[in-house]
């Protein structure tokens, strides 16, 4: 069983400067802890050989890192121009209704966090919804109950 | 003459599964690499200079010239790096997504040829974190490549994932991020060719640029330069989205008319609506009115209209769209993505959003329209990188081209379009760094 510390040492080997491994190390820490908690940041810092404050400063710059707890699943609806033009707002509203949350919130049972997100680079296949980082294309409001059910069934 | 079906970058994708090394080799893949390695680095660079290839990321800088700026190893003994900008994040552009997902080996072949040209043995591919699909394709293509030392040679390739930051598409911000820092742009000079990654000579190229290189070596630079039009040689993979019947990526010869892009390839405007406006090169570019599309899709033709191909993201908007609402959505995007380093961008984009929101709600008075343009003017040319500037130029162009519509928001004390515009009340993105009360209970 490879430990987090060992995995980060392996990552560091890929770069001339160990600090380049901060982003992948934060990604691993987040996957392990669910979000970048104080413990997660401390563990990351020890493995890299820097301070938790440095890791937090880096993490807070990037949208894919979460310094606060999030649900077990993440539903991200692209609301940039191309998706908005073909109905992203209606898709987001359908998720809000189905999950009984406002965009940016987590469901009461801690299962799903819903948020609008900036352009996911799939404008020709709008509306794009990233479900646990996997792209769903051409999403319509009618598809939303099925996606939510899928997440609940998988839990 | 420009045509709509010239495939260089995406050649063979419909007939073969080019994500597989064997299939790619069966159509002559990696033969350009063998040919290039038999040439001197200078000769390879000279072919690319002769091809007149310009960067496909948006800045349009001549690729061969960029390579020629890198000092020779005897002039600078530090390792030389090739860094690939695969951080495609420009709203409207999704071409690199498809290129990496469908022709990963052509892309890697281009990387290896470029590495030979600039005498680098280290390639870093910085791919945006959200691109999980293309990332997996690249990783498996790389695994195949690792089994073939005859192709990879002594070059190491590392695929490095970003973590959600538009600004990391700016090359110096990308280098900062790759060094494990917050992705904030650096002052230039020094330029990356002299002091880039780890303060060493570095070439930063876009995915499509590199995926074009094998064809240039195969055909010869002069032959490639016969495609397209002056100043915009060769082909371009154009992303068409928004209000068109057939959105998607289309590889065209540069210079094809924008009318053909939208009404030919894109299939025209759905639901019997009419074309109101076109964003020609991603959200950072100056908008065109629907009656301005009889223009070639190339650098010079678009420059005459004060706009640009940018990263080739063409977004069509039909007659229901409110330009103030468009301004809000664009301004909010740049406000969210501003790295915060330069005050005019950090504060200015926020001001732009606030004024546009007041216009939309009908609270704005006449002087605020001038204030909006004044704020835009105070961002332009006053920042380290173009992020704030492109937001300002784009939004100012909506006012310039649709002034009467902005005026109507003031005169009618509200939006004439309201909910009938698909851009009405579209929520802005949310960062998940602050605690959500519900989630906190489940720590």
């Amino acid at each position: 069983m490879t430990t987090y510390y060992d995995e980060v040492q392996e990552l560091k080997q890929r770069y001339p400067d160990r600090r380049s491994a901060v982003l992948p190390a934060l990604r691993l820490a987040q996957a392990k802890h669910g979000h970048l908690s104080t413990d997660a940041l401390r563990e990351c810092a020890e493995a890299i050989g820097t301070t938790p404050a440095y890791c937090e400063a880096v993490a807070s710059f990037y949208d894919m890192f979460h310094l606060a707890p999030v649900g077990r699943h993440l539903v991200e609806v692209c609301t940039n121009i191309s998706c908005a033009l073909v109905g992203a707002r209606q898709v987001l509203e359908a998720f809000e209704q189905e999950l009984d949350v406002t965009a940016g919130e987590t469901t009461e049972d801690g299962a799903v966090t819903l948020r609008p997100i900036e352009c996911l680079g799939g404008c020709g296949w709008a509306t794009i919804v990233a479900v646990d980082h996997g792209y769903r294309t051409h999403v319509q409001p009618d598809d939303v109950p099925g996606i939510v059910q899928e997440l609940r069934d998988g839990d | 003459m420009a045509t709509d079906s010239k495939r260089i970058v995406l050649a063979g994708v419909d007939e073969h599964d080019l994500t597989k090394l064997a299939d790619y080799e069966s159509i002559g893949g990696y033969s350009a690499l063998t040919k290039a390695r038999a040439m001197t680095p200078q000769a390879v660079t000279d072919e690319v200079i002769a091809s007149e290839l310009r960067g496909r990321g948006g800045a349009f800088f001549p690729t061969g010239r960029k390579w020629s700026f890198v000092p020779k190893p005897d002039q600078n003994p530090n390792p030389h790096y090739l860094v690939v900008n695969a951080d495609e994040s420009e709203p409207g552009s999704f071409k690199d997504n498809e290129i990496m997902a469908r022709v990963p080996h052509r892309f890697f072949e281009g990387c290896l040829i470029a590495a030979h040209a600039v005498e680098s043995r280290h390639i870093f591919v910085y791919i945006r974190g959200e691109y999980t699909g293309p990332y997996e394709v690249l990783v498996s293509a790389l695994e195949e490549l690792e089994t073939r030392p005859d192709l990879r040679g002594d070059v190491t390739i590392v695929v490095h994932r970003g973590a959600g930051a538009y600004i990391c598409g700016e090359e110096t911000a990308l280098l900062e991020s790759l060094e494990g820092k917050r992705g904030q742009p650096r002052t230039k000079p020094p330029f990356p060719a002299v002091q880039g990654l780890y303060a060493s000579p570095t070439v930063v190229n876009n995915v499509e640029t590199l995926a074009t290189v094998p064809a240039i070596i195969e055909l010869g630079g002069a032959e490639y330069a016969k495609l397209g039009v002056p100043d915009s040689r060769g082909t371009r993979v154009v992303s068409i989205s928004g209000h068109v019947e057939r959105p998607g990526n289309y590889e065209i010869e540069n210079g094809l008319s924008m009318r053909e892009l939208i009404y030919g390839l894109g299939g025209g405007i759905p639901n019997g609506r009419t074309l109101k406006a076109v964003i020609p090169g991603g959200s950072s570019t100056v908008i065109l009115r629907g009656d301005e599309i009889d223009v070639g899709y190339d650098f010079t033709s678009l420059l005459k209209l004060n706009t640009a191909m940018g990263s080739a993201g063409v977004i069509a908007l039909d007659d229901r769209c409110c330009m103030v609402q468009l301004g809000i959505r664009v301004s909010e995007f740049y406000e969210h993505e501003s790295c915060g380093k330069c005050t005019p961008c950090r504060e200015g984009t926020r001001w732009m959003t606030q004024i546009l929101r007041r216009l939309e709600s009908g609270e704005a008075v006449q002087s605020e329209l001038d204030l909006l343009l004044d704020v835009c003017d105070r961002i332009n040319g006053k920042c380290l990188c173009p992020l704030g500037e492109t937001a300002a130029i784009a939004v100012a162009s909506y006012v310039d081209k649709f002034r009467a519509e902005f005026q109507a928001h003031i005169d009618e004390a509200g939006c004439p379009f309201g909910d009938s515009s698909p851009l009405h009340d579209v929520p802005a993105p949310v960062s998940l760094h602050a605690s959500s009360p519900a989630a906190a209970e489940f720590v």
Side-chain angles (χ1 to χ4, degrees), chain B residues 20-149:
Chain B
K20 301 279 181 293
L21 180 58
D23 290 58
Y24 183 56
E25 281 192 301
S26 77
I27 60 158
Y30 288 108
S31 58
L33 176 64
T34 310
K35 187 175 169 187
R37 283 192 176 140
M39 297 158 67
T40 63
Q42 186 59 50
V44 174
T45 303
D46 287 342
E47 280 305 321
V48 175
I49 290 174
S51 75
E52 299 179 44
L53 175 68
R54 287 171 170 235
R56 303 304 197 215
F60 230 58
F61 194 82
T63 305
R65 266 179 66 206
K66 189 185 256 188
W67 293 0
S68 69
F69 292 155
V70 177
K72 299 287 162 230
D74 56 343
Q75 293 167 305
N76 187 328
N78 282 355
H80 289 31
Y81 296 106
L82 173 68
V83 175
V84 183
N85 188 342
D87 194 52
E88 180 174 64
S89 312
E90 177 76 10
S93 294
F94 48 100
K95 64 184 180 68
D96 295 339
N97 183 341
E98 187 154 353
I99 292 168
M100 289 186 285
R102 301 190 77 182
V103 288
H105 284 292
R106 186 170 287 141
F107 162 64
F108 280 135
E109 184 179 14
C111 292
L112 290 165
I113 294 170
H116 174 65
V118 300
E119 300 183 59
S120 165
R121 291 191 292 114
H122 310 278
I123 300 172
F124 289 98
V125 179
Y126 187 104
I127 182 170
R128 73 177 290 193
E130 292 88 345
Y131 274 3
T132 44
Y135 169 75
E136 280 160 20
V137 174
L138 287 190
V139 168
S140 51
L142 193 52
E143 276 169 11
E144 277 193 288
L145 199 51
E146 296 289 349
T147 66
R148 292 286 301 277

Side-chain angles (χ1 to χ4, degrees), chain B residues 94-394:
Chain B
F94 48 100
K95 64 184 180 68
D96 295 339
N97 183 341
E98 187 154 353
I99 292 168
M100 289 186 285
R102 301 190 77 182
V103 288
H105 284 292
R106 186 170 287 141
F107 162 64
F108 280 135
E109 184 179 14
C111 292
L112 290 165
I113 294 170
H116 174 65
V118 300
E119 300 183 59
S120 165
R121 291 191 292 114
H122 310 278
I123 300 172
F124 289 98
V125 179
Y126 187 104
I127 182 170
R128 73 177 290 193
E130 292 88 345
Y131 274 3
T132 44
Y135 169 75
E136 280 160 20
V137 174
L138 287 190
V139 168
S140 51
L142 193 52
E143 276 169 11
E144 277 193 288
L145 199 51
E146 296 289 349
T147 66
R148 292 286 301 277
D150 58 317
L151 298 178
R152 190 172 60 79
D154 60 353
V155 179
T156 61
I157 303 176
V158 174
V159 182
H160 183 92
R161 306 175 74 180
Y166 170 77
I167 188 59
C168 292
E170 195 279 336
E171 61 177 6
T172 62
L174 186 154
L175 295 174
E176 287 284 293
S177 180
L178 184 48
E179 289 181 5
K181 301 171 191 165
R182 293 165 70 88
Q184 294 188 312
R186 300 172 177 171
T187 40
K188 291 194 272 191
F191 289 92
V194 182
Q195 265 185 50
L197 188 62
Y198 312 121
S200 300
T202 303
V203 163
V204 185
N205 281 147
N206 163 265
V207 171
E208 186 186 353
T209 309
L210 290 164
T212 306
V213 167
I216 291 171
I217 298 304
E218 194 183 311
L219 297 169
E223 193 62 25
Y224 179 84
K226 287 180 184 167
L227 295 169
V229 294
D231 273 339
S232 306
R233 299 301 185 186
T235 65
R236 191 86 198 254
V237 181
V238 183
S239 303
I240 306 178
S241 68
H243 291 144
V244 286
E245 286 283 1
R246 291 190 296 271
N249 285 313
Y250 298 91
E251 186 166 4
I252 60 155
E253 214 178 316
N254 282 312
L256 187 74
S257 91
M258 287 201 70
R259 180 169 297 280
E260 178 58 22
L261 276 180
I262 291 162
Y263 286 94
L265 298 172
I269 317 304
N271 306 318
R273 317 284 328 182
T274 54
L275 180 69
K276 177 170 183 174
V278 181
I279 294 172
S283 66
S284 298
T285 53
V286 164
I287 203 163
L288 296 174
R289 286 191 313 268
D291 62 3
E292 291 180 299
I293 60 166
D294 290 303
V295 59
Y297 198 64
D298 61 82
F299 179 79
T300 308
S301 303
L302 289 170
L303 189 64
K304 284 179 189 155
L305 296 176
N306 287 321
T307 190
M309 297 169 94
S311 48
V314 175
I315 308 174
L317 298 101
D318 75 20
D319 55 329
R320 294 170 302 160
C321 298
C322 167
M323 290 296 129
V324 174
Q325 293 173 7
L326 175 67
I328 293 172
R329 193 65 272 275
V330 168
S331 177
E332 277 179 343
F333 169 72
Y334 291 96
E335 178 188 344
H336 179 81
E337 299 297 342
S338 173
C339 81
K341 189 169 184 172
C342 308
T343 310
C345 169
R346 183 185 66 239
E347 301 299 320
T349 49
R350 186 165 159 272
W351 268 94
M352 284 165 56
T353 304
Q354 286 178 343
I355 299 167
L356 286 158
R357 283 204 169 283
R358 284 173 58 79
L359 279 162
E360 175 66 9
S361 66
E363 296 163 273
V365 296
Q366 189 64 46
S367 61
E368 283 172 77
L369 192 49
D370 295 329
L371 182 62
L372 175 63
L373 294 174
D374 189 52
V375 170
C376 292
D377 193 45
R378 281 162 200 269
I379 299 172
N380 289 340
K382 297 173 183 70
C383 303
L384 284 178
C385 92
L387 187 146
E389 184 161 314
T390 50
I393 288 172

